[in-house]
Amino acid sequence: MVAMEFEPVIGLEVHAQLLTRSKLFCGCSTQFGAPPNSNTCPVCLGLPGALPVVNREAVTMAVKAAMALGCRINEASVFARKNYFYPDLPKGYQISQFDRPLGKTGRVTVFSGERADTGKIANRQEKVFGITRLHLEDDAGKSIHEGLPDAGSKSYVNLNRTGVPLIEIVSEPDFRSSQEAYDYLTDLRKTLLYLGVCDGNMEEGSLRCDANVSVRPKGSEKLGIKVEIKNLNSFRFLQRALDYEIERQVKVLSQGGEIVQETRLWDEAEAVTLPMRSKEEAHDYRYFPEPDLLPLKLDPAWIERLRQELPELPGPKMKRFIEHYGFSIEDALLLTGTAELAGYFEECARASGNARASANWIMGDLAYVLKNSGKEIKDSPIPPDRLAALISKIDSEEISGKIAKTVFEEMARTGEHPLEIIQRMGLVQVSDEASLGALIDGILAANPKQVAEYRSGKTRVLGFFVGQVMKETRGQANPQVVNELLQNKLAGG
Ligand SMILES: [Zn+2]
């Protein structure tokens, strides 16, 4: 019997908290970490008679995100009540969008690769993934079952998060490996950060991801029974949970079993997914249009203005870096990691006129300095114009690559301009043929035995003479000039 080959089918539902200062339907602050239940009012507590008013900034951010993901913007979308009971949901419903979401049928192009067992990503190429919909909704609060003295017998609730604006981004079931899902989520997070609409912090819950996973025999068109996985609090969890769940489903089916439609939680400590509750059907939420809010109508001219204001997004920026600078996909991915990093690179490349060297310094020495000091590129001790000045000094052969490393270390340590450091430490490279020539004449005269050896064919002693010149000049002689002068003088005998 031949073992059947299966392929996974994965879709992701991402909730991203929008970076507004106030909540979606009231003026309460969205600040993270405020004293429990201090950011609340009658509207977000769902008290009778309180009426919601939609936050214009939240709509603006959601529209920008929808456009960046290639969605069609609905000029009229409808808020709907999603009804369910939970202690952290005082209204008894979330205000969401159902059959008329803000944005739909989008698509994104992601440079996605294949992951080897070693963890190395190879064969990165452009892949297109569909976005089903993007809608606005308000968040629920937070139940706390741990960390308080009487947590054994009581649960607590913090309603600060109740009513905070979210966008939910639902992908098509287009991912065929955990790596594709990982690459999509990475790209999505990057896009939201470029737009400045979400801080992308998965640990604080401002970016949350659930996955729908099924497997089917390879070549089959029919979808298998899907399982929803929750509690994916990091990119690593997402990948590990998907790999585990795909393997589990294949095993069940290979042994003639059946997949149960259910929600499972990722348990990172045990590295398994565990059943949570059987999947509620969508109609259990009894969606109906929110009677306290009119349909959300957007002016086409205003939408167009927002489109003009969109920054260059990570995808187009990557393509430009590959085409314009001739970078590899991996280098372009790294350098466009954040808008700030890409901006730093371009400023340095422009000022120095040397894009390749700028990229190498930024991805190498500068990345190392930032990592060791726990700093972001925007707090770099070395501004881009100063790194460019250093690169220019190397390119004009005023300093050697070796001296440049010393200057760079000083720049990182003191924040000084490279020219000041080169002056202060007397590090200018000596390329002057007259003074180097005189020095070499002296060295040759003092070492007649080695000169004779060279002239008898043992040209290896050239290294000895180079060493002597470097010693005399404390490493500041231009090695290329020294080599040429030495060869001429030794040959000229
Ligand atoms: Zn409120």
Side-chain angles (χ1 to χ4, degrees):
M1 206 177 100
V2 182
M4 195 187 277
E5 243 196 286
F6 289 92
E7 80 171 350
V9 176
I10 304 162
L12 296 185
E13 285 173 20
V14 173
H15 284 91
Q17 184 183 326
L18 296 176
L19 277 176
T20 56
R21 279 183 299 163
S22 55
K23 294 184 178 181
L24 185 51
F25 299 114
C26 62
C28 292
S29 167
T30 54
Q31 192 206 342
F32 183 81
N37 299 305
S38 61
N39 293 341
T40 53
C41 74
V43 174
C44 55
L45 291 177
L47 300 188
L51 289 173
V53 177
V54 71
N55 179 336
R56 186 189 177 95
E57 189 58 20
V59 176
T60 304
M61 289 182 174
V63 170
K64 281 185 183 173
M67 285 192 295
L69 300 174
C71 291
R72 234 178 52 217
I73 310 294
N74 273 328
E75 281 170 23
S77 59
V78 174
F79 286 107
R81 288 192 183 178
K82 179 182 180 182
N83 301 282
Y84 62 97
F85 171 79
Y86 211 72
D88 62 18
L89 189 72
K91 293 198 300 290
Y93 57 85
Q94 268 179 291
I95 302 179
S96 182
Q97 296 187 306
F98 187 53
D99 48 4
R100 297 272 293 280
L102 189 74
K104 55 194 235 181
T105 55
R107 49 188 274 165
V108 289
T109 305
V110 176
F111 281 90
S112 183
E114 289 156 25
R115 183 168 37 108
D117 289 337
T118 57
K120 207 171 154 50
I121 311 299
N123 197 20
R124 243 184 232 286
Q125 52 183 292
E126 283 184 280
K127 291 181 185 171
V128 177
F129 303 119
I131 308 280
T132 314
R133 55 187 278 137
L134 180 149
H135 67 251
L136 263 168
E137 63 183 28
D138 64 353
D139 205 351
K142 217 171 174 176
S143 300
I144 298 148
H145 309 287
E146 285 165 4
L148 288 155
D150 50 358
S153 57
K154 286 182 178 143
S155 283
Y156 288 76
V157 70
N158 181 356
L159 299 177
N160 281 350
R161 209 177 65 181
T162 311
V164 162
L166 302 176
I167 44 175
E168 181 172 339
I169 303 155
V170 182
S171 85
E172 289 289 301
D174 280 352
F175 313 113
R176 295 291 170 271
S177 68
S178 65
Q179 186 62 37
E180 286 187 354
Y182 181 97
D183 290 333
Y184 160 81
L185 187 61
T186 305
D187 194 78
L188 176 59
R189 178 175 181 275
K190 208 162 144 178
T191 299
L192 297 176
L193 286 169
Y194 266 63
L195 292 171
V197 302
C198 176
D199 67 16
N201 190 328
M202 286 188 93
E203 273 159 32
E204 286 180 6
S206 36
L207 191 71
R208 286 168 248 161
C209 177
D210 302 331
N212 287 309
V213 189
S214 63
V215 299
R216 64 184 175 191
K218 217 166 187 163
S220 161
E221 288 290 308
K222 204 170 149 256
L223 291 171
I225 292 165
K226 71 180 177 189
V227 167
E228 187 180 11
I229 314 175
K230 287 183 179 283
N231 207 25
L232 305 171
N233 298 329
S234 76
F235 285 83
R236 201 168 54 90
F237 287 11
L238 168 75
Q239 197 156 44
R240 282 159 59 92
L242 288 176
D243 286 340
Y244 173 87
E245 182 60 22
I246 292 163
E247 208 181 303
R248 185 188 74 83
Q249 293 187 18
V250 168
K251 206 165 151 192
V252 169
L253 294 176
S254 301
Q255 291 169 352
E258 273 179 28
I259 303 296
V260 182
Q261 181 168 336
E262 61 185 350
T263 298
R264 296 173 76 91
L265 282 183
W266 172 244
D267 181 332
E268 175 64 17
E270 300 294 320
V272 293
T273 61
L274 296 170
M276 191 170 108
R277 54 171 189 234
S278 62
K279 179 88 179 90
E280 303 135 286
E281 292 298 319
H283 61 247
D284 282 349
Y285 290 124
R286 291 166 43 247
Y287 282 98
F288 62 84
E290 166 61 58
D292 291 339
L293 287 163
L294 289 166
L296 179 64
K297 286 199 175 149
L298 306 176
D299 175 7
W302 179 75
I303 297 175
E304 211 32 58
R305 264 206 312 283
L306 287 186
R307 198 183 294 281
Q308 301 303 325
E309 284 170 21
L310 286 185
E312 185 184 26
L313 293 165
K317 201 185 277 286
M318 261 197 76
K319 277 194 179 168
R320 186 165 63 78
F321 275 29
I322 291 167
E323 280 158 22
H324 182 73
Y325 299 112
F327 289 157
S328 67
I329 292 176
E330 294 301 328
D331 283 356
L333 254 186
L334 257 167
L335 288 168
T336 59
T338 64
E340 291 78 17
L341 181 64
Y344 185 105
F345 159 74
E346 292 216 271
E347 218 178 309
C348 185
R350 203 164 32 237
S352 68
N354 189 337
R356 186 66 261 172
S358 301
N360 289 348
W361 280 97
I362 291 166
M363 294 188 294
D365 298 70
L366 184 63
Y368 182 78
V369 164
L370 294 176
K371 195 174 170 226
N372 277 351
S373 56
K375 282 184 177 152
E376 300 283 332
I377 190 76
K378 64 177 175 9
D379 308 313
S380 168
I382 302 172
D385 59 319
R386 292 193 176 181
L387 182 55
L390 178 68
I391 293 168
S392 298
K393 286 288 158 193
I394 307 165
D395 287 347
S396 65
E397 295 188 4
E398 286 166 77
I399 58 171
S400 67
K402 193 163 164 252
I403 290 172
K405 295 270 180 193
T406 309
V407 176
F408 182 86
E409 277 167 28
E410 276 298 292
M411 288 166 74
R413 197 176 64 83
T414 65
E416 268 177 290
H417 195 284
L419 300 191
E420 283 168 26
I421 296 167
I422 292 166
Q423 286 267 314
R424 175 165 64 75
M425 298 177 75
L427 292 173
V428 183
Q429 176 163 267
V430 182
S431 303
D432 168 33
E433 293 195 12
S435 60
L436 284 177
L439 180 72
I440 288 169
D441 287 340
I443 289 168
L444 296 187
N447 299 283
K449 196 174 131 246
Q450 283 83 352
V451 173
E453 277 179 27
Y454 183 90
R455 288 180 180 155
S456 70
K458 289 188 187 163
T459 51
R460 266 173 44 219
V461 293
L462 186 70
F464 163 78
F465 290 115
V466 173
Q468 293 296 308
V469 178
M470 286 302 172
K471 205 168 132 195
E472 293 283 325
T473 59
R474 293 183 326 194
Q476 284 164 246
N478 180 329
Q480 209 182 328
V481 176
V482 170
N483 263 298
E484 276 169 23
L485 283 173
L486 270 172
Q487 279 171 1
N488 283 340
K489 285 182 189 291
L490 284 164

